[in-house]
Amino acid sequence: MDWGSLQAVLGGVNKHSTSIGKIWLTVLFIFRIMILVVAAERVWGDEQQDFVCNTLQPGCKNVCYDHFFPISHIRLWALQLIFVSTPALLVAMHVAYTRHEKKRRFRNGEKIDIEELKNEKIHIRGPLWWTYTSSIFFRLVFEAVFMYVFYYMYDGYQMPRLVKCNAWPCPNTVDCFVSRPTEKTTFTIFMLAVSGICMMLNLAELCYLVIKICMKEPRKTT
Amino acid sequence: MDWGALHTILGGVNKHSTSIGKIWLTVLFIFRIMILVVAAERVWGDEQQDFVCNTLQPGCKNVCYDHFFPISHIRLWALQLIFVSTPALLVAMHVAYRRHEKKRQFRKGDQKCEYKDIEEIRKQRFRIEGSLWWTYTSSIFFRLVFEAVFMYAFYFMYDGFRMPRLMKCNAWPCPNTVDCFVSRPTEKTVFTIFMIAVSSICILLNVAELCYLLTKFFLRRSKKAGNPKHHPNHENKEESKQNEMNELISDSCQNTVIGFSS
């Protein structure tokens, strides 16, 4: 089970999304997951190996690395991407359930074409609208939470070159040097920017769905 | 999600490209992405590990490496390839949208759309005309812009395209000035020049494609303008009326697409 399988699972959801939802999915896969896999993982690959402290004290480097990097950026991004992709599965489950119900009605003798049922694009109306809208809302919440966690854990989005460590067993204060800080800062800012773009796409989709339902209501009443 | 997945996504775009576009896609995948994955990544694989500085001062090597290589060549190329491939997705999205509209019209039973079944709509290759022409041309324009921007970023960041053997570093905590030696400088220079050359070939292909599309557009316009003047006799008037009718019918299919988007 890897990013490719996630793509296979979410590809099915794509069919029942709005146009903005499809764009969001493309941005997610190409500008976030792909960048993570082909570029960012290499940049952070040697993060502990090339984290160097100016001391001969055994254990000091380990303790300092652990103190300054409780959870690595890469792992946080992987978690963020998984959590952000998951609400779309709610929609997939709802669609599967609707289809299952229709098949059951067909088997009970109602006249529905089963081939058409398989290929049918289910419109975002009624309970599916609520499921879809909640999934977008949860996506937004997860994105915001992770962006805040990043900011809180690393005191901003810049990777410093030097960190001063005085955790035991380091003698007094020790200078520790981070590996590839500029490259890491560049990628952090890039991932943050794309995360921001995804949030805006989600907001736009939410507004679109709300407007759509509001426009349908007056038509029903008139 | 890796280069293979990108290849699958862009393979679909290939069907609706011009011949030059297909050549560009082949050059991109074989001479850039494949070279990056099978060769260049190995060359740069040990770049920090084998970056050696003539000092025992802890942290000096890290700082000097970070100073001289803010973003590694490999990452810049990966970003360049992703950005350069992405405009083609605009075309894919536009084609998918048109197909969706035609399927919708077909299902409604609109007799103006001349498709016999849905399979035909799926397999149909759309010609690069009308709004698709604009999408396609903008995608080529963006490709050119991204290629140029990345080439300039390379040149600016590394003061040219050559990888030096020796770098003199005096960033803190290095004591005074320290000699640092780069790993595999000649091999890196060779690959950098190769990737720049292929990038330039891709730029030339894009420029050629842009010129081809513009020429096609202007020729079509001049044919439309020139037709009634060059064939004034009665038979050709009827033919041109029939052509106008056919265009109106095909335009009505397109206009529902344009109308929806505006």
Side-chain angles (χ1 to χ4, degrees), chain B residues 199-218:
Chain B
S199 197
S200 315
I201 291 170
C202 285
I203 289 179
L204 287 173
L205 284 168
N206 284 329
V207 169
E209 202 177 359
L210 208 55
C211 295
Y212 166 73
L213 287 168
L214 286 168
T215 310
K216 201 168 143 181
F217 178 74
F218 286 120

Side-chain angles (χ1 to χ4, degrees), chain B residues 142-154:
Chain B
F142 280 116
R143 268 187 231 165
L144 276 167
V145 166
F146 288 138
E147 291 270 23
V149 162
F150 274 95
M151 276 175 89
Y152 176 73
F154 250 108

